[in-house]
């Protein structure tokens, strides 16, 4: 994901490659077992083609906010419903845990992602912050009430 879309994430491939294997094992175990965060993988023909992480965390919009992190889909399968499927799973997971709003940051230059999020009911809150590794690039805060979240195909 970081090699494909380095400007879509707050970290860099070089930084992440320095982390020890234990870090990744702990992160994977936590994403599978914690009640306040979850990692979801999209798979096609035995290969991983997408990832999305959701965390119940304060800040952003909502009384009981959830945050989407690390949303990415393999370029070869983009625009085929994978991102929408991942987002539906995240929304369901967050709802089951009492969240009321999904929050995310998206790089201001990532028009396809912004369009996808808007189509599903997200709106820009007006809050922005610098991308950590490239402060000249801004990230927009977007939010979507889980009551307003739309699955693909709904209008």
């Amino acid at each position: 994901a970081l090699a494909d879309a380095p400007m879509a994430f707050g970290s860099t491939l070089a930084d992440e490659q320095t982390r020890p294997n234990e870090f990744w094992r702990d992160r994977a175990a936590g994403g599978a077992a914690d009640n306040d965060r979850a990692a979801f993988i999209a798979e096609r023909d035995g290969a991983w083609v997408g990832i999305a992480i959701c965390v119940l965390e304060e800040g952003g919009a909502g009384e009981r906010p959830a945050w989407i992190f690390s949303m990415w889909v393999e370029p070869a399968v983009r625009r085929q419903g994978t991102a929408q499927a991942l987002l539906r799973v995240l929304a369901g997971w967050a709802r089951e845990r009492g969240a009321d709003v999904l929050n995310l940051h998206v790089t201001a230059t990532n028009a396809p992602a912004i369009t996808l999020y808007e189509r599903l009911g997200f709106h820009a809150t007006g809050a922005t912050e610098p991308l950590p590794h490239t402060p000249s690039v801004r990230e927009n805060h977007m939010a979507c009430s889980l009551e307003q979240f739309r699955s693909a195909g709904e209008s």
Side-chain angles (χ1 to χ4, degrees), residues 1 9 39-42 48-53 68-74 82 86 90:
F9 298 96
F40 295 94
I41 304 297
W48 289 14
V49 296
I51 185 170
I53 297 171
I68 297 171
F69 295 109
S70 301
M71 180 75 187
W72 177 80
V73 173
E74 174 72 38
T82 304
L86 284 166
L90 293 179

Side-chain angles (χ1 to χ4, degrees), residues 8-9 34 48 58 106 115-116 121:
F9 298 96
D34 284 357
W48 289 14
E58 293 300 315
V106 59
T115 299
L116 166 69

Side-chain angles (χ1 to χ4, degrees), residues 60-120:
E63 291 182 26
R64 295 173 314 281
W67 283 87
I68 297 171
F69 295 109
S70 301
M71 180 75 187
W72 177 80
V73 173
E74 174 72 38
V77 300
R78 289 181 185 156
R79 294 174 182 75
Q80 297 177 23
T82 304
Q84 294 93 330
L86 284 166
L87 289 164
R88 280 194 304 274
V89 171
L90 293 179
W93 179 88
R95 263 190 213 101
E96 288 172 4
R97 281 150 186 81
D100 61 342
V101 174
L102 287 175
N103 292 271
L104 59 85
H105 286 113
V106 59
T107 307
T109 56
N110 193 343
I114 292 168
T115 299
L116 166 69
Y117 297 136
E118 288 174 341
R119 192 168 58 243
L120 296 177

Side-chain angles (χ1 to χ4, degrees), residues 6-11 105-109 126-141:
M7 297 303 285
F9 298 96
S11 186
H105 286 113
V106 59
T107 307
T109 56
T128 67
E129 61 184 51
L131 186 62
H133 58 78
T134 309
S136 62
V137 175
R138 304 298 294 179
E139 290 184 301
N140 296 333
H141 174 228

